[in-house]
Amino acid sequence: MKFSYEFSNLCGTVYKGGNLIFSPDSSKLLSPVGSRITMFDMKGSKTVTLPFETRKNIACFTLSPCGNMVVCVDVDGRAILINLKKRVLLAHHNFKLPVSSLAYSPDGAHIAVSHGKHVQLWAAPGSTKEFAPFTLVRTYPGQYDEVSTISWSSCSRYLVVGSVDMTVKVLSREPEEDFTPFTLTGHKRAVVGAWFGPGGANEVVSVSADGGMFLWGRSALTGKWTLTSKSFVNQTGGVHVTCAALQSALIVVGLSNGQFTLYDLPGFDQIHTLSISQKDISTVSISPSGDLLGFGCRGLGQLLVWEWQSESYVLKQQGHSYNLNCVSYSPDSLSIATGGDDGKVKVWSSETGFCYVTFNEHTGAVTDTYFRPSGNVVLSASLDGTVRAFDLFRYRNFRTMTCPTPVQFSSVTCDASGEVVAAGTTDTFQVCTWNMQTGRLLELLSGHEGPVSSVLFTEGVLISCSWDKTTRVWDTFERKGTTDTLTLSSDCTAVVASPDGSQIAVATLNSEITFYNLKLGLTTGSIEGRNDLWAGRSKEDLISAASQKRNRCFTALSYSADGSVILAGGRSKYICIYNVEQTVLIKRFEVSRNLSYDAMLQFLRSDNMTDQGPVDLMDTAEFQHGEEVALPGVTKGDFSSRRVAPHINVHDVQFCPTGQSWCAATTEGLLIYSLDSTLTFDPIDLDTDVTPQSMRDAIKSGSYTRAVVTALRLNTSDLVMEAVECVAVDEIPFVVRALPLHHVIALLTFLVDLLPTTRHLQFYVVWVNSILTCHGPALKKSSSQIMSTLNGIISALTSQTKALTSLCDDNKYFLDVILTLGSSCNVNSEEMEVF
């Protein structure tokens, strides 16, 4: 099994703060998600998260005019330079002060950066790696408070700078004889945005937090700036302007009550007003084409793209408002279901990364989700005392299962037939079972003396683990009660069964994973993971990080499709993959390096200590960069709100049924790791005669079996594709019949990667059909080893079937319209001939 898993995407979180930027062609939207950048492709309906991280949460970023270079700056002023086209990290840079705004010049030659009360002009770095890509050109002083916004003129000769000191200043990039820097005053609160207007460098538009929108003009004779027109945004009840953006003659203003207003320049004519959120709008952006408006709401984690001409949503995504607790893959691996503390169940597409349905029927935190084996139903357990079943065809909650007495559910599962549902409770220490069809309570299983942490069905029995240090096996179908009890050394946190059902793995509070054979009734091995779970020191800790390891443990487990390895995550920033047979650590993945989270460092810096305590714990705006936490139910304001730095934890992990990826529900969001699909040279049975030229010679001579075997021995996808596609359709069964079994398995692995994207679908389906027909009995004996490959083929064929079905339906109706129009034209022509 391959273990070259790499970070591929981040779901569950779409926006956490910072600005939004559209690509030059207006087809993509770039959004900061913590310390990463996520790119939303609105035409291709796909999301991609860049695998690069800043040291802390991103405060702002800018995109070059050509759309190839991205400069991201975190809350401490540390920046990274990314080549967006090649997905390469080019350089790091430290601006040494927090940056609130930065912008590329339209010609791409310079970058203007706010630096406290000053503005710095830097030469734009190139697209290749350099020793010192950032070069300071000039510094502009003169502001009396922090700079809040920077914008360039279209000619790249002038800058307009807005500040918290309620002034707007116009600057030139190079000294000019007929130009003098000018300060525009008149606003009564901090300037939110300032830009050059539709008239070019002789017009400036500025917006302040009090709702004032001013249009300034420069006299061609005297060169002085004067106020030509102004208007005010309608504000009531303490509402203020939080953000604004301008593009051509359009200006959009976002308010603290979740509304935005669109105006037309130069008369500030209101086009329309719309309420899009329950909390304040954090940022707004206008696409270069001027028809799309992008909004980000940090309080709710919302990301919206609104087309103002048609008054419709192009993109509407929202992550979980609070912690992400659980995750589960669908049997076809095309969907991922998540549940969070906000009481919502969201279903995400694993191919596109978009959330396509949200269920909000729960009134308490969702603790677990589970897909029915058929894949069309999602089960969820919640602390509100209900287990709900959601239909993924009609998108509705069709079944709600409860207990006679109020309880809180911690986990949920379903048997192989999908008819029996079981859930564990945290307060009554029972396991409840229901009938899926009727929703009737079948049985209450008692015996545990602590909260039930996890339940699952395997091989016709029900298994539950609890904080009472026991794991019990229940024979629910024969109604024999408890048939076996496994006593462990510490509280049980999770239990999972191998794909063949012969073995279970139990995670305990002392960082151990114990393997138990159900058929033999014996413990087959254990893993001590205390040293694998890295521990950091929190800002409030009085003891060292080494002493914190005893508080670390695994809380989530998942077997791979072949059962050879197990994935483990818990109270740590690391996720571990262990070999089950040898009980050794194979690989460890670091979930995040974002220092905005607490306990990310093993040693704290002594220079951050003061007489009043650590600097990070001071309740001042200068040092607070954590997440704002308010009292529940407060919407208008909360004097007790405070900022905290959350700990990074892994709440749940899940292997994809195909084995090509796995996902983790973490504090940062839903992280997806996939196998590296890039070209790798990994030959098997290599000999001096096994070369690409010998493969092509075999093709020319008509020896297709030898050509395919040579390509498989070279183990290069391009050569395998070349050899396979040279085989005639009638020759495929004969070639497949002559292949050895280990080459057949290798060929199936290559077909899994080719089926989702190939244009020769029927050709490759013939290959799959021939392989399964000729080598079916032999493959069945080794099914446990190739289960992930078979699941991948099923997933690819299912996806292609859905796409073709939709296309054929569209073509069918389109042809019906054409035939109808053709018949009506024939009737009209016959009538004309009669007359």
Side-chain angles (χ1 to χ4, degrees):
M1 184 177 179
K2 297 181 179 179
F3 301 100
S4 58
Y5 292 98
E6 294 183 356
F7 174 81
S8 62
N9 209 352
L10 172 62
C11 303
T13 307
V14 294
Y15 176 76
K16 279 192 173 182
N19 58 315
L20 303 175
I21 297 179
F22 283 94
S23 62
D25 59 355
S26 302
S27 63
K28 300 179 179 65
L29 178 65
L30 277 70
S31 170
V33 182
S35 59
R36 306 177 191 265
I37 293 290
T38 299
M39 183 167 57
F40 295 86
D41 187 353
M42 291 171 287
K43 287 187 177 179
S45 297
K46 192 173 183 179
T47 67
V48 176
T49 302
L50 302 181
F52 312 111
E53 285 188 272
T54 54
R55 285 173 56 91
K56 290 189 177 181
N57 288 336
I58 296 175
C60 56
F61 71 102
T62 184
L63 181 67
S64 62
C66 62
N68 291 337
M69 308 297 293
V70 177
V71 180
C72 305
V73 186
D74 65 10
V75 293
D76 286 342
R78 296 180 182 269
I80 59 174
L81 175 66
I82 301 173
N83 188 318
L84 190 61
K85 186 176 181 180
K86 296 183 178 180
R87 309 287 172 84
V88 176
L89 178 63
L90 298 179
H92 293 262
H93 184 74
N94 187 4
F95 288 110
K96 298 182 180 180
L97 278 180
V99 176
S100 59
S101 179
L102 75 162
Y104 261 99
S105 60
D107 59 3
H110 294 85
I111 300 177
V113 181
S114 66
H115 193 260
K117 301 178 183 180
H118 302 162
V119 175
Q120 291 183 342
L121 187 65
W122 297 78
S127 58
T128 58
K129 289 188 176 182
E130 303 175 23
F131 176 72
F134 290 88
T135 304
L136 182 62
V137 177
R138 187 174 290 104
T139 300
Y140 300 93
Q143 305 292 341
Y144 293 97
D145 210 330
E146 302 290 331
V147 174
S148 58
T149 177
I150 299 175
S151 181
W152 286 87
S153 63
S154 58
C155 60
S156 301
R157 294 172 55 190
Y158 303 103
L159 285 164
V160 58
V161 179
S163 175
V164 181
D165 63 3
M166 301 176 290
T167 63
V168 177
K169 181 167 286 190
V170 182
L171 308 170
S172 63
R173 188 183 68 180
E174 302 290 343
E176 299 182 7
E177 295 182 359
D178 57 344
F179 180 84
T180 303
F182 202 88
T183 302
L184 309 176
T185 61
H187 288 292
K188 297 182 179 180
R189 289 191 64 181
V191 177
V192 175
W195 315 268
F196 286 98
N202 293 324
E203 280 187 359
V204 170
V205 180
S206 60
V207 179
S208 61
D210 62 349
M213 299 181 293
F214 293 178
L215 178 63
W216 312 82
R218 183 188 180 193
S219 174
L221 298 177
T222 62
K224 294 184 178 181
W225 292 84
T226 57
L227 181 63
T228 58
S229 65
K230 63 179 180 179
S231 180
F232 290 89
V233 181
N234 294 328
Q235 304 175 77
T236 58
V239 177
H240 62 277
V241 175
T242 56
C243 55
L246 181 139
Q247 180 68 34
S248 300
L250 292 176
I251 181 171
V252 58
V253 177
L255 304 178
S256 59
N257 60 354
Q259 293 182 353
F260 78 90
T261 306
L262 186 64
Y263 297 92
D264 187 21
L265 294 177
F268 295 106
D269 299 323
Q270 181 175 331
I271 298 177
H272 72 254
T273 301
L274 183 68
S275 177
I276 59 174
S277 178
Q278 298 177 353
K279 291 193 176 183
D280 59 334
I281 300 176
S282 304
T283 184
V284 61
S285 178
I286 305 178
S287 64
S289 60
D291 56 346
L292 299 178
L293 309 178
F295 301 94
C297 303
R298 180 179 180 181
L300 296 177
Q302 286 181 324
L303 184 66
L304 310 170
V305 177
W306 172 264
E307 187 177 10
W308 64 272
Q309 293 177 337
S310 62
E311 297 187 2
S312 61
Y313 285 109
V314 177
L315 176 67
K316 188 176 182 182
Q317 292 287 301
Q318 180 179 355
H320 288 279
S321 302
Y322 301 103
N323 281 338
L324 189 64
N325 293 331
C326 51
V327 60
S328 60
Y329 262 107
S330 63
D332 58 3
S333 73
L334 297 179
S335 301
I336 303 174
T338 60
D341 284 343
D342 56 359
K344 296 180 180 179
V345 176
K346 292 179 175 289
V347 184
W348 308 78
S349 171
S350 60
E351 295 181 341
T352 65
F354 282 108
C355 172
Y356 61 88
V357 62
T358 300
F359 302 104
N360 53 10
E361 280 79 7
H362 283 294
T363 58
V366 178
T367 55
D368 196 13
T369 57
Y370 190 84
F371 271 94
R372 195 178 178 184
S374 60
N376 58 355
V377 174
V378 175
L379 299 170
S380 63
S382 173
L383 296 180
D384 62 0
T386 62
V387 173
R388 297 179 183 268
F390 301 99
D391 187 357
L392 295 185
F393 287 154
R394 299 177 178 86
Y395 299 134
R396 63 186 181 91
N397 175 209
F398 70 92
R399 189 78 68 232
T400 301
M401 291 160 276
T402 60
C403 282
T405 59
V407 295
Q408 292 182 329
F409 293 108
S410 59
S411 58
V412 66
T413 188
C414 182
D415 71 331
S417 65
E419 297 297 328
V420 179
V421 178
T425 64
T426 60
D427 42 9
T428 61
F429 314 149
Q430 295 175 325
V431 178
C432 309
T433 59
W434 297 270
N435 183 283
M436 172 68 81
Q437 298 296 330
T438 63
R440 185 173 62 89
L441 181 65
L442 299 178
E443 193 174 2
L444 290 175
L445 304 176
S446 303
H448 283 296
E449 298 176 358
V452 179
S453 54
S454 182
V455 294
L456 62 91
F457 276 102
T458 180
E459 294 297 316
V461 296
L462 176 64
I463 301 173
S464 62
C465 68
S466 171
W467 291 8
D468 61 1
K469 303 181 182 181
T470 63
T471 297
R472 295 176 180 268
V473 181
W474 312 82
D475 194 345
T476 56
F477 298 102
E478 298 294 335
R479 296 188 179 269
K480 294 181 180 179
T482 306
T483 60
D484 197 2
T485 301
L486 173 64
T487 303
L488 298 155
S489 59
S490 185
D491 298 357
C492 303
T493 57
V495 62
V496 66
S498 60
D500 59 2
S502 62
Q503 185 185 70
I504 62 172
V506 184
T508 55
L509 204 59
N510 57 356
S511 305
E512 289 186 0
I513 301 176
T514 304
F515 298 99
Y516 185 77
N517 192 304
L518 291 176
K519 295 181 179 179
L520 301 178
L522 299 174
T523 301
T524 58
S526 64
I527 296 174
E528 172 60 49
R530 189 182 302 275
N531 293 327
D532 301 330
L533 290 173
W534 185 89
R537 185 173 180 179
S538 176
K539 302 175 180 65
E540 299 178 352
D541 289 340
L542 301 179
I543 57 178
S544 64
S547 302
Q548 295 289 334
K549 288 185 179 180
R550 62 175 180 270
N551 298 328
R552 305 294 176 180
C553 66
F554 294 115
T555 59
L557 302 174
S558 178
Y559 270 99
S560 61
D562 57 2
S564 61
V565 298
I566 191 169
L567 192 68
R571 299 176 186 172
S572 174
K573 67 174 182 177
Y574 284 106
I575 298 176
C576 304
I577 293 184
Y578 293 98
N579 184 285
V580 175
E581 183 178 356
Q582 301 177 1
T583 63
V584 294
L585 177 67
I586 298 177
K587 196 169 184 179
R588 192 169 66 166
F589 299 90
E590 188 175 8
V591 170
S592 177
R593 298 180 181 178
N594 188 357
L595 297 182
S596 295
Y597 294 106
D598 200 3
M600 295 295 290
L601 296 176
Q602 193 169 7
F603 301 99
L604 299 181
R605 295 182 56 178
S606 58
D607 56 351
N608 285 338
M609 295 296 296
T610 64
D611 295 337
Q612 290 78 26
V615 171
D616 299 312
L617 297 180
M618 291 185 178
D619 192 16
T620 58
E622 181 180 359
F623 302 110
Q624 293 296 318
H625 300 304
E627 296 183 359
E628 185 174 353
V629 179
L631 291 176
V634 176
T635 57
K636 296 298 183 181
D638 181 14
F639 291 106
S640 67
S641 64
R642 65 276 187 202
R643 291 182 178 272
V644 298
H647 289 257
I648 187 75
N649 288 321
V650 178
H651 303 289
D652 198 5
V653 292
Q654 186 75 36
F655 252 115
C656 177
T658 62
Q660 297 298 310
S661 63
W662 54 268
C663 60
T666 68
T667 308
E668 198 169 31
L670 178 62
L671 301 178
I672 301 177
Y673 288 77
S674 303
L675 287 175
D676 187 9
S677 59
T678 57
L679 179 64
T680 56
F681 181 65
D682 185 19
I684 54 176
D685 298 337
L686 196 60
D687 199 357
T688 56
D689 297 334
V690 181
T691 62
Q693 186 59 40
S694 64
M695 182 203 72
R696 295 185 176 94
D697 293 340
I699 294 175
K700 291 180 181 179
S701 63
S703 302
Y704 298 116
T705 302
R706 183 159 57 89
V708 173
V709 170
T710 303
L712 291 172
R713 292 173 68 181
L714 289 170
N715 204 13
T716 305
S717 58
D718 291 340
L719 296 177
V720 175
M721 186 186 303
E722 181 181 351
V724 167
E725 292 185 354
C726 289
V727 180
V729 177
D730 298 336
E731 298 289 334
I732 292 176
F734 302 102
V735 174
V736 169
R737 192 175 292 111
L739 289 177
L741 181 61
H742 64 282
H743 286 316
V744 170
I745 295 175
L747 182 58
L748 276 176
T749 304
F750 280 103
L751 292 178
V752 170
D753 298 331
L754 292 174
L755 280 174
T757 58
T758 182
R759 294 179 297 175
H760 312 294
L761 180 60
Q762 183 179 0
F763 178 76
Y764 284 107
V765 168
V766 173
W767 273 96
V768 174
N769 187 29
S770 300
I771 290 174
L772 297 179
T773 302
C774 299
H775 299 275
L779 292 174
K780 188 175 181 180
K781 295 180 181 179
S782 58
S783 59
S784 60
Q785 301 177 5
I786 63 171
M787 185 58 67
S788 60
T789 303
L790 297 177
N791 287 334
I793 292 176
I794 295 173
S795 175
L797 293 178
T798 302
S799 178
Q800 291 281 21
T801 302
K802 291 181 180 179
L804 288 175
T805 302
S806 176
L807 180 62
C808 292
D809 290 342
D810 294 341
N811 291 341
K812 175 184 176 182
Y813 298 130
F814 185 67
L815 290 174
D816 290 341
V817 172
I818 293 177
L819 293 175
T820 303
L821 292 176
S823 60
S824 62
C825 292
N826 292 333
V827 172
N828 293 334
S829 61
E830 292 176 358
E831 292 178 354
M832 293 295 294
E833 291 177 358
V834 171
F835 285 105

